[in-house]
Amino acid sequence: MKAIRVHQFGGPEVLRLEELPVPRPAAGQVRVRVHAIGVNPVDTYLRGGANPSLTLPFTPGLDAAGVVEEVGPSTAGFGIGMRVYVGGCLTGAYAEQLVARAAQVYRLPDQTSFAQGASLHVPYATAHRALFHRAQARAGESLLVHGASGGVGLAAIQFARAAGLLVIGTAGTPRGRELALEAGAHHVLDHTSPGYLGSLGQLTAGRGVDILLEMLANVNLGNDLPTLARGGRVIVIGSRGKVELTPRDLMTREADIRGMSLFNAGEEELRSIHAAIHAGLENQTLRPIIAREMPLAEAAQAHTLILQPGAQGKIILTA
Ligand code: NAP
């Protein structure tokens, strides 16, 4: 089978397409013939050496969708040919075939495409966990999705809109803002426009925002805090550096800054999150938006694109 391999940490150029033996599933494992692979920013961090304890060489990738091809012993509930998506796997998702633990494999509803299936784990599970587990969002609250045009942001808008929140999204391009509105945002703002956070008071009837999902905390966190309502919560999902802030902005509002890492979610929690994702796909409140599909061989270009501004949903590799 063809797979992308990383033999040394570095830039996108270290991603190499190679021929590897087809992996075999052991007990409690499933082999999936991969049709679509979701590219996530974390794939670029790991490729670059963010986790030096990763054993080289490795095949990158956490998100993929395809059909079950082989099932190991003691693996109930999976039939050959079943449409599935994975949330993490044992052999790496940037490949024509992968092996995952059965607990990492979820059934893909018939109306959900493979590309959409490959958009579900990291983006949607992150959005769900941030909103409902870390922020404990309730219907009637207001939400700012700070970075709404990418994988996590669009997922958060769809979840929040279905749950009855007032949803405001930001994006840096007209198309990104259009997608945020199509996903269900009530209002959109341009995070490249000076003073854009100034309208939040009016949009929330003078209260400020109850929940803020932050995709780029190193740029925004200091300016986020004064926009919060009393009891407001900022959930830090993404950050690529340091930031300066005024603690007093938290004090007077009795507001919280909370971190969130999907890697901390245990098996039970993930099962619950994916049940919510499945329900949302079935009732069509969740509709993953694909920006672009590219062949597996173009993984290096996909890694360059995902870190550039102008997100429009998910970048997908096809295998
Ligand atoms: P993505 O698809 O590449 O989208 C990136 C988003 O960030 C876009 O909406 C982009 O908007 C926005 N952005 C760019 N500049 C911004 C600014 N100045 N202020 C606010 N937003 C800005 O990435 P993603 O998959 O949605 O992930 C978003 C972030 O969360 C990444 O940093 C990722 O590493 C992180 N993440 C963390 C976890 C976790 O467990 N903590 C899980 C998943 C993702 P424009 O392109 O329209 O400017």
Side-chain angles (χ1 to χ4, degrees):
M1 68 163 188
K2 291 196 167 33
I4 296 287
R5 299 290 278 171
V6 174
H7 288 265
Q8 65 193 75
F9 298 122
E13 70 285 353
V14 303
L15 298 172
R16 284 204 235 136
L17 189 68
E18 292 180 2
E19 197 64 38
L20 287 184
V22 174
R24 298 294 311 272
Q29 299 176 359
V30 175
R31 185 171 79 228
V32 176
R33 170 67 179 97
V34 173
H35 290 299
I37 301 143
V39 178
N40 290 295
V42 67
D43 303 342
T44 71
Y45 314 152
L46 295 175
R47 182 213 69 223
N51 178 2
S53 60
L54 261 182
T55 309
L56 294 164
F58 68 94
T59 298
L62 300 165
D63 286 0
V67 294
V68 172
E69 203 175 50
E70 188 181 352
V71 175
S74 318
T75 313
F78 294 98
I80 307 301
M82 184 186 273
R83 300 174 81 252
V84 294
Y85 69 97
V86 303
C89 61
L90 297 167
T91 55
Y94 286 29
E96 290 177 330
Q97 277 133 322
L98 64 79
V99 166
R101 289 186 293 108
Q104 296 173 309
V105 185
Y106 305 93
R107 196 168 67 77
L108 191 64
D110 291 342
Q111 74 277 13
T112 307
S113 70
F114 290 123
Q116 289 178 313
S119 309
L120 290 174
H121 177 64
V122 171
Y124 278 79
T126 295
H128 187 281
R129 190 163 191 265
L131 267 176
F132 300 114
H133 299 212
R134 298 297 291 138
Q136 300 185 305
R138 294 182 296 273
E141 289 193 305
S142 61
L143 166 73
L144 178 69
V145 182
H146 214 167
S149 48
V152 178
L154 289 165
I157 288 175
Q158 293 173 2
F159 271 124
R161 181 63 192 256
L165 282 85
L166 172 76
V167 183
I168 305 160
T170 78
T173 62
R175 181 63 187 143
R177 292 190 286 282
E178 202 173 275
L179 285 173
L181 287 171
E182 283 169 24
H186 295 92
H187 307 284
V188 285
L189 302 172
D190 176 357
H191 55 228
T192 66
S193 167
Y196 67 101
L197 293 173
S199 56
L200 286 174
Q202 186 210 335
L203 294 177
T204 59
R207 256 184 72 73
V209 295
D210 296 304
I211 300 169
L212 197 156
L213 300 189
E214 183 52 67
M215 305 302 157
L216 201 55
N218 56 303
V219 171
N220 296 321
L221 193 58
N223 296 327
D224 288 341
L225 304 185
T227 72
L228 293 174
R230 185 158 177 196
R233 293 87 79 196
V234 180
I235 311 301
V236 176
I237 297 176
S239 189
R240 294 179 182 162
K242 291 183 178 178
V243 66
E244 188 175 303
L245 52 83
T246 305
R248 198 173 185 85
D249 291 333
L250 292 170
M251 193 177 84
T252 49
R253 293 174 177 80
E254 299 190 326
D256 294 325
I257 302 171
R258 301 178 188 171
M260 205 303 291
S261 171
L262 184 61
F263 289 115
N264 290 332
E267 216 162 84
E268 269 310 301
E269 193 181 354
L270 286 173
R271 210 191 319 277
S272 164
I273 290 171
H274 283 281
I277 292 172
H278 194 90
L281 292 170
E282 283 194 324
N283 68 25
Q284 294 181 24
T285 52
L286 302 183
R287 304 166 307 280
I289 295 167
I290 310 304
R292 183 166 177 171
E293 296 186 40
M294 311 163 69
L296 179 61
E298 292 177 17
Q301 197 194 340
H303 273 212
T304 302
L305 285 173
I306 187 119
L307 295 183
Q308 285 172 357
Q312 299 183 10
K314 287 296 306 178
I315 296 175
I316 297 295
L317 296 171
T318 52

